[in-house]
Structures are given as structure tokens and as C-alpha cells.
Amino acid sequence: MLSGDIPPNQSIYVKNLNEKVKKEELKRSLYCLFSQYGRILDVVALKTPKLRGQAWVVFSEVTAASNAVRQMQNFPFYDKPMRVQYAKTKSDCVAKADGTFVPREKKKKQEEKAERKRRTEEAQQSANANGRNAETNGGPTPPFRQGNQGAREAEAAPNNILFIQNLPHQTTSMMLQVLFQQYPGFREVRMIEAKPGIAFVEFEDDVQSSMAMEALQGFKITPQNPMAIAYAKK
DNA sequence: AGCACA
């Protein structure tokens, strides 16, 4: 049955997600996966009984959401085919942006009190708020240089294995798989316990590895971590 | 199956 009765929305609703995946990893992986369609403003996932296995991805453009809905239908994500629809309502983060946000209030007094307290605490901390929406990420960016600018190490010749650097330490191989398996010829991700921040990704051949490198060069899993992709040294 | 914004 097509979910065709939901009008286009810049937010998408994703369900049939693997419930074993931790919330933060899930959000990051969704971010990684969907940022190929456009700028992502927010990813929302809750693990409450009612909301586990579901998530919302908020794009800055409806067209991005439309492409995602069409193209990511049944995409195998953590071993489960994801179901993607438009969200039924506007996300808070876009309501806030267009000024139509009204805080919902279905709380009893006690909860409100706690809420208020929390907010004032937040206000104090928001000195360092360089945007809690750290997802103002921008997704893939053009190549950049990092690390050994001076001491010019010889680059490995193109081959079927990619060497990834500058990954956030929370990166898991599943997260990288999610990203790289979108490209034809993907074989596997290898990470080394003792060496966080790097990974190897193998493709069937060097043409395919090069396509993935091109597409994901500089990709940011977090804003601070544009990934540096090179060919592995054999 | 399940449409929220901790």
C-alpha cells in the first residue's frame, strides 16, 4: 500500500529501523546516509516504547526529502529494509526557523516546573552554544588537506582499498558500511581496535574505490571530522 | 505497527 496520502514534507519519517542500534549511532548513520540528498537540519530519534524503530530526518528542502523517499525505499540498513515516507507534520526545528513554533503543552504542573528549571539551566550553558544543531554540517565537501602537509608522504597509487582518516572516535564499522555500501563494488570495512579514527574500506576494484573516494571525500560524520580518504598502501 | 521534537 502506497503511503501516498501524506503530502510532501521537508521532513521524512523512517520506520522499520533496527531497534538494537544505539540512538546516537542511529542518528549519525541516518545523517550519513541521507545527507547525499541535501542539507539535513535535524535527525530525531527516540527509543521510547512507542517510538523505537522510527526516526525523522529533516531536510532544508522538500525536493531533497522527495528524492530520499523515492530512492531510499527498502534500503538495507543495519540488516533491515527501511521504510521511508513523508512526515505527517512539520518538525519543530523548521517551525522554529519560520517563526511558527509554539511550544506544545500537555504537561502537568510538576513536569512544567522541572521543565522550566531545565530551561534556565540550559540558558546558562548556552554561552558555549555554537549551535547545538551540530548537524549544520553541510555533508560532503570538496577535498581538503590535513595532517602531513609539510612532510609530503608519497601517496599510494590508486587501488581497490581506501584508507580513511580523521574519523570521530565513536565511528563504528557499521556506520562506515552504511556510507560506503551505497557505492558499487563495496566489499567490506575494516577497523582496528587499537587505532581509533582510521579505517580501511575495500572495493572490488580501483575504479569503484575511486568513485566512492570522490563521492565521500571530506564527508563529515561530525562537523569537526571531515574524512580524509586516500588509497591504502599495499 | 508505531508520526516526535528530553
Side-chain angles (χ1 to χ4, degrees), chain A residues 3-72:
Chain A
S3 47
D5 46 342
I6 306 164
N9 188 314
Q10 75 193 82
S11 300
I12 58 172
Y13 170 67
V14 187
K15 63 181 180 180
N16 200 39
L17 297 171
N18 188 326
E19 298 179 10
K20 285 176 292 199
V21 183
K22 298 253 197 339
K23 188 171 71 177
E24 283 315 311
E25 174 174 346
L26 180 70
K27 287 166 73 169
R28 254 186 263 276
S29 293
L30 287 167
Y31 177 84
C32 290
L33 189 63
F34 280 102
S35 53
Q36 62 182 308
Y37 297 104
R39 177 68 105 282
I40 291 175
L41 303 180
D42 200 9
V43 178
V44 175
L46 294 304
K47 295 267 269 184
T48 61
K50 190 176 173 212
L51 291 165
R52 65 177 81 235
Q54 302 150 77
W56 290 261
V57 178
V58 186
F59 290 98
S60 65
E61 304 287 343
V62 186
T63 54
S66 300
N67 289 331
V69 168
R70 256 182 288 111
Q71 296 177 42
M72 294 306 283

Side-chain angles (χ1 to χ4, degrees), chain A residues 29 32-33 36 72 74-82 162 173-189 201-204 208 212 216:
Chain A
S29 293
C32 290
L33 189 63
Q36 62 182 308
M72 294 306 283
N74 303 319
F75 182 87
F77 190 64
Y78 293 103
D79 301 319
K80 298 187 71 178
M82 56 165 60
L162 300 177
S173 55
M174 271 309 297
M175 292 170 62
L176 292 177
Q177 182 181 326
V178 154
L179 258 190
F180 283 89
Q181 76 184 349
Q182 305 174 88
Y183 302 93
F186 170 82
R187 278 204 184 130
E188 67 165 359
V189 173
V201 181
E202 182 173 328
F203 282 81
E204 279 162 29
Q208 295 171 317
L216 293 173

